[in-house]
Amino acid sequence: MIARMWRGKVHTDRVAEYVTYIERTGLTGYRQTSGNRGAQMWTRDLGDGRSEVTTLSWWESLEAIRGFPGDDIEQAVFYPEDDTFLVERETTVTHHEVVAS
């Protein structure tokens, strides 16, 4: 199994709104892709008016991940309204082999 992780930052007062937006776009997209084993979104208040947002999804294989972003699985996927929320973003994602659970 492969874990796929992405991080970004939003203004803390918009976290709930962003979570709702990503549940409707990114998390739904993950879950509708063949080979996806689930997805979560985490938030962390940084105490300076920003909150870190992390999305984590689990996949059967690296090949299965290609069904979501396409051939370049290292590229993060963004949605039309992301620019209205994100104050910082990673443009790439990381993949980790899950070796124990």
Side-chain angles (χ1 to χ4, degrees), residues 22-34 36 39 57 59 67-69 77 79:
I22 293 302
E23 284 178 334
R24 205 174 63 241
T25 57
L27 296 183
T28 295
Y30 287 155
R31 292 175 181 136
Q32 290 177 344
T33 303
S34 179
N36 178 262
S57 56
W59 300 84
F68 179 67
V77 174
Y79 296 90

Side-chain angles (χ1 to χ4, degrees), residues 28-96:
T28 295
Y30 287 155
R31 292 175 181 136
Q32 290 177 344
T33 303
S34 179
N36 178 262
R37 297 284 185 98
Q40 292 181 323
M41 186 173 190
W42 307 337
T43 64
R44 178 172 71 109
D45 188 333
L46 299 174
D48 62 359
R50 297 174 307 145
S51 288
E52 182 179 68
V53 176
T54 302
T55 60
L56 183 62
S57 56
W58 295 272
W59 300 84
E60 291 176 0
S61 65
L62 289 173
E63 185 59 36
I65 294 170
R66 285 183 174 79
F68 179 67
D71 286 334
D72 188 357
I73 64 171
E74 302 297 321
Q75 273 306 123
V77 174
F78 295 102
Y79 296 90
E81 293 179 42
D82 281 336
D83 288 340
T84 66
F85 291 104
L86 294 167
V87 295
E88 291 179 42
R89 70 179 88 187
E90 293 179 352
T91 57
T92 58
V93 299
T94 58
H95 297 97
H96 307 267

